[in-house]
Amino acid sequence: MNCGANDTIRAHLIPQAFVREVRGDDKGYALTNRNASSFQPSQNGRYDDAILCTACDNILGKDEKYAVETLAAIRRSTQHVVDRTFMVDGIEGDRLLRFAAGTVWKFALTKPHYGRIDIGPYAAILQSLLYDRADSGGAVDAFLMKLHSGDDKSYFNRAPSPERYEGLNFVRFAVGSFIFLVKLDRRPATNLPAAAWLRGSTSILIPAIAFNQIEEGRTVLSARQANGRLDAYLQRVSVAATANKNLAS
């Protein structure tokens, strides 16, 4: 399954810029399975060479670039905010929503061993939203949560995973120290404030949650404690990056 083109390219499932944020000056990046019991060293993250042509990848890339820059700016300006919500103005909510939709859509197309997810008829709905700018009528929307780690760095990314929230269908993923919850459901979510949703928004309300108080943060911390090989690898590439930085200064 792909975008419909015969001539496809190596398309990153998680945009490479988010991988570079996590990697920093390190030369290593760990790809783990869902429970982090095993990992694969990597420099560039995971890509699929059979789902997107150059033109389709470039269309997604414009909103991916916006998301990378916007989330980094929010992270820098709110690094000390925790355990409360904050408002961000001047946001192009539809662009962030298309980024989120594009990420989910790529994982609906990719190979099973790369983490393919089943979103049923919403694969076609997302494709229409991304390439035809079709209005989903509210069936596709998303909100964000920010992970607070005490600085403005990004420490991990998480591939999309379907889940239920208040009886509705969502897909959850994490990039750039933000968790995206993408609603794929025509029913409205009534228990979330309207200001939190991305669709059509120029200002969004975001909760900032302590790293160890949310699923993704606890998973990262417990994975390093439970998997000695993973922890040793991450320690090694971090030490090497620090040494290289000192030599260059």
Side-chain angles (χ1 to χ4, degrees):
M1 184 175 181
N2 64 16
C3 66
N6 294 321
D7 187 14
T8 54
I9 63 168
R10 288 169 37 132
H12 284 87
L13 298 175
I14 298 288
Q16 192 175 18
F18 285 118
V19 175
R20 288 173 179 154
E21 282 187 342
V22 172
R23 199 181 69 188
D25 295 320
D26 299 352
K27 296 300 182 183
Y29 180 83
L31 296 170
T32 74
N33 56 5
R34 291 201 184 278
N35 62 9
S37 61
S38 65
F39 76 96
Q40 173 188 344
S42 173
Q43 287 192 22
N44 300 308
R46 181 159 286 152
Y47 66 86
D48 192 318
D49 62 4
I51 60 173
L52 290 178
C53 65
T54 299
C56 286
D57 188 60
N58 286 343
I59 290 171
L60 298 186
K62 294 175 183 178
D63 291 318
E64 290 174 350
K65 182 176 185 293
Y66 175 78
V68 170
E69 294 172 350
T70 300
L71 297 181
I74 297 173
R75 204 167 56 236
R76 286 191 299 270
S77 65
T78 61
Q79 58 182 289
H80 301 301
V81 177
V82 64
D83 293 332
R84 65 178 179 87
T85 59
F86 60 92
M87 184 68 75
V88 181
D89 299 318
I91 291 294
E92 294 184 62
D94 286 335
R95 296 196 68 182
L96 285 178
L97 178 58
R98 287 198 300 267
F99 155 70
T103 302
V104 171
W105 182 66
K106 284 189 286 186
F107 275 89
L109 300 184
T110 195
K111 301 174 181 67
H113 57 280
Y114 287 169
R116 180 195 294 169
I117 59 174
D118 182 6
I119 56 173
Y122 278 89
I125 293 172
L126 292 183
Q127 184 171 0
S128 183
L129 183 153
L130 293 167
Y131 295 109
D132 301 326
R133 297 296 190 259
D135 186 355
S136 68
V140 180
D141 208 339
F143 66 93
L144 308 181
M145 296 184 288
K146 180 182 180 293
L147 279 167
H148 172 75
S149 57
D151 55 34
D152 64 347
K153 293 181 174 60
S154 177
Y155 290 95
F156 70 96
N157 299 312
R158 177 190 178 182
S161 177
E163 69 172 49
R164 301 278 287 178
Y165 182 76
E166 295 187 349
L168 304 181
N169 297 308
F170 283 80
V171 174
R172 180 176 181 140
F173 70 93
V175 292
S177 289
F178 288 84
I179 298 163
F180 281 75
L181 285 102
V182 184
K183 182 173 76 75
L184 303 179
D185 203 306
R186 296 194 179 279
R187 295 168 294 175
T190 56
N191 290 337
L192 287 168
W197 294 100
L198 292 178
R199 178 173 173 260
S201 297
T202 56
S203 299
I204 53 173
L205 185 69
I206 302 175
I209 303 171
F211 196 86
N212 63 352
Q213 296 299 312
I214 201 163
E215 176 186 339
E216 285 79 0
R218 290 194 298 267
T219 298
V220 170
L221 295 173
S222 63
R224 294 194 66 161
Q225 292 171 353
N227 189 329
R229 288 182 62 246
L230 173 62
D231 185 62
Y233 170 75
L234 294 175
Q235 291 276 13
R236 186 168 65 252
V237 296
S238 296
V239 168
T242 301
N244 289 336
K245 186 181 295 184
N246 290 338
L247 287 171
S249 61

